[in-house]
Amino acid sequence: MTGKDVPGLIEAKDSIPQGTRINVTFLGNEDLEMRVAASKAVLDHGFIPVPHISARRLSSQDQLEEFLGRLQEVGASEQVFAVGGDPAEPEGPYPDSLSVIQTGLLQKYGVKNVSIAGYPEGHPDIDKDLLARHLEDKSAALKEQGLDAVILTQFAFDTDPVMAWIDSVRSKGIETTIRIGTPGPAGIKRLISFARRFGVGANAMIVKKYGFSLTNLMGTAGPDRFVGDLSSLLAADPASGDVKLHFYTFGGLLATADWAREYTAAQS
């Protein structure tokens, strides 16, 4: 959710299982008060806030410490998602999430678990080898600092690159829980727009495999086929380790929560 999504959270709260992790974004058009208020709202409604720390949006160490301090004050600092962020040029001393982790400040403000980013299909602006090296470096840094970790990936439409990437991560000895980014149900045009923005494969063959067609952009689509196929592939590959899902709620918190509840009921 974004800092503006508190009304959507309240609308969806009865459809989301208590204790669910809900990420809170760190966008350029949001301010400190919005981010902290949203994280507090998540906590107040019985969920686990995972506020984002966008390294390249931080103008100074003081800003980082102010944010962490405010989160700690409202009881929302135990879990964070350290991510590089969108700006082409860093706005302060932190060019990437690794540099934030290496400050050693996270533990000072009560952080216990840090999510870090994974990119099964790469990143449009970052070299693939550099991404892999940084994932190893961040995993090692968190382990050295005694912090628990989760690898949270960009969303995907295709299970093939996801499974290949999981195998690659595990081959490096990284046993961290992986949460595969999964688009919640949303309009097809909206899904394609996000895919193009973030460099996610969305050609005709891939989206047909996911369960919709590029010739019919007016409809909506859910991740039923993707989740079912991924589940089968993971079950057949014990070496994949602990893998869960992370939903990107492009169609809204309530729509995603309702889909998850209905899908789970159908499977059982």
Side-chain angles (χ1 to χ4, degrees):
M1 62 178 282
T2 72
K4 299 175 183 177
D5 284 339
V6 174
L9 173 68
I10 295 171
E11 177 190 33
K13 64 182 177 61
D14 294 332
S15 296
I16 304 173
Q18 293 285 286
T20 295
R21 295 158 56 94
I22 298 180
N23 283 37
V24 180
T25 56
F26 194 115
L27 302 180
N29 60 356
E30 299 170 349
D31 60 23
L32 174 67
E33 299 306 324
M34 291 174 64
R35 296 167 189 141
V36 174
S39 297
K40 184 176 185 301
V42 171
L43 186 66
D44 287 347
H45 287 94
F47 310 115
I48 299 172
V50 185
H52 292 195
I53 300 173
S54 181
R56 297 169 78 86
R57 292 193 187 281
L58 294 168
S59 60
S60 65
Q61 179 177 320
D62 287 344
Q63 186 185 10
L64 171 59
E65 294 207 57
E66 181 185 21
F67 182 43
L68 290 170
R70 289 291 304 281
L71 290 174
Q72 188 177 40
E73 285 176 8
V74 300
S77 67
E78 288 193 3
Q79 314 233 4
V80 299
F81 178 28
V83 65
D86 293 333
E89 294 295 329
E91 297 175 15
Y94 308 115
D96 48 45
S97 56
L98 178 60
S99 60
V100 170
I101 292 168
Q102 289 174 332
T103 64
L105 291 171
L106 299 181
Q107 305 96 311
K108 177 181 175 181
Y109 292 95
V111 175
K112 296 179 180 178
N113 182 292
V114 181
S115 296
I116 54 178
Y119 299 91
E121 297 185 60
H123 188 289
D125 300 319
I126 305 175
D127 178 76
K128 187 175 181 180
D129 290 339
L130 182 61
L131 282 175
R133 186 162 66 252
H134 267 220
L135 183 62
E136 290 185 76
D137 291 344
K138 286 183 284 189
S139 297
L142 291 171
K143 189 173 183 179
E144 288 170 6
Q145 294 179 31
L147 292 169
D148 292 331
V150 173
I151 300 172
L152 193 161
T153 82
Q154 181 56 277
F155 70 92
F157 292 142
D158 188 359
T159 55
D160 289 345
V162 168
M163 290 302 298
W165 178 83
I166 291 172
D167 288 345
S168 174
V169 170
R170 298 309 189 207
S171 72
K172 295 178 173 63
I174 299 174
E175 299 177 355
T176 304
T177 295
I178 294 172
R179 288 184 176 269
I180 299 299
T182 306
I188 293 171
K189 288 180 70 174
R190 186 172 176 82
L191 290 171
I192 295 298
S193 174
F194 274 102
R196 288 173 176 160
R197 177 181 171 188
F198 293 112
V200 174
N203 64 46
M205 288 298 293
I206 289 173
V207 297
K208 183 177 180 181
K209 185 176 178 181
Y210 185 80
F212 60 88
S213 169
L214 289 177
T215 60
N216 177 21
L217 299 181
M218 300 308 294
T220 60
D224 304 61
R225 185 180 296 182
F226 176 81
V227 171
D229 289 350
L230 182 63
S231 177
S232 297
L233 291 167
L234 291 169
D237 181 14
S240 57
D242 186 20
V243 180
K244 296 180 170 67
L245 299 178
H246 171 82
F247 287 102
Y248 288 87
T249 58
F250 299 137
L253 285 160
L254 181 59
T256 300
D258 285 346
W259 177 90
R261 187 178 67 249
E262 292 165 7
Y263 183 87
T264 301
Q267 299 307 304
S268 60

